[in-house]
Amino acid sequence: MRSRRVFSRMNAHANTGPDRTRKHGPFPAYGPVDAALGFVVFYLFVERATPTIVEIMTGVVPGLSASAVGFGLAAFLWFIFVVTTLDQLRRQLAALGVVAGESGRADRAGSGRVVPSIPWLLVYAVVAAIGGSIAAFTFDRAVDAGIALIRLVAGVGVGVFPVGAFPLVEFLAMVVFFVAFGAATHSLDRLLVGSVRVAFAAVLP
């Protein structure tokens, strides 16, 4: 009788071990489109802001060359690219159950569905189109506002606050851009990844 109890406990422990409890989420996981577009916009902003950053850094730090600042910005962009890529790779491997992760739980908590319905895909398409149009229209002003804010922060850092230098209209445009861009990339990510999930659900048993 005692041996049966021991065997039952061992069997229960085996069924609840790490190999049995590791669950994978829906594949592909959400996020790669959103992350890729976010990095592209960040890259474009850094590229257009590089002359301003180089001018400020070489003026604040004596002896600092423009090439050194440019190299530092390039290295920073590569660092962000590598970190973003590794994070998205981890999310996809977690969705496959290869590594531990919260991808499946996050998908279910965020969307409520593993495979989105056709009406939801249409909603994502509409939001992506409207948000993308607004983001494209306000992108240049948002970049100009970001560069102006960099100059403003640099001036405050050295004890100079130019009156009238705060670009209120451009700052509002930057806020509108980020809201529209965030909604567009989120919806486009849900649309594309969700469409792939629908296709997998239709093909795979």
Side-chain angles (χ1 to χ4, degrees), residues 97-147:
V98 178
V99 298
E102 299 294 330
S103 174
R105 182 179 300 176
D107 284 341
R108 287 188 289 270
S111 64
R113 288 176 176 270
V114 172
V115 178
S117 62
I118 299 301
W120 269 111
L121 292 179
L122 294 177
V123 171
Y124 292 145
V126 172
V127 174
I130 297 176
S133 300
I134 297 175
F137 181 75
T138 56
F139 175 72
D140 289 332
R141 280 197 167 187
V143 172
D144 292 339
I147 295 175

Side-chain angles (χ1 to χ4, degrees), residues 63-135:
L64 184 63
S65 64
S67 59
V69 177
F71 177 79
L73 291 174
F76 178 68
L77 284 174
W78 274 109
F79 173 77
I80 297 298
F81 174 78
V82 171
V83 170
T84 303
T85 302
L86 292 177
D87 179 67
Q88 292 303 315
L89 179 61
R90 180 195 61 80
R91 287 176 58 86
Q92 300 304 324
L93 292 177
L96 290 173
V98 178
V99 298
E102 299 294 330
S103 174
R105 182 179 300 176
D107 284 341
R108 287 188 289 270
S111 64
R113 288 176 176 270
V114 172
V115 178
S117 62
I118 299 301
W120 269 111
L121 292 179
L122 294 177
V123 171
Y124 292 145
V126 172
V127 174
I130 297 176
S133 300
I134 297 175

Side-chain angles (χ1 to χ4, degrees), residues 144-157:
D144 292 339
I147 295 175
L149 287 176
I150 291 175
R151 290 187 177 275
L152 184 61
V153 171
V156 173

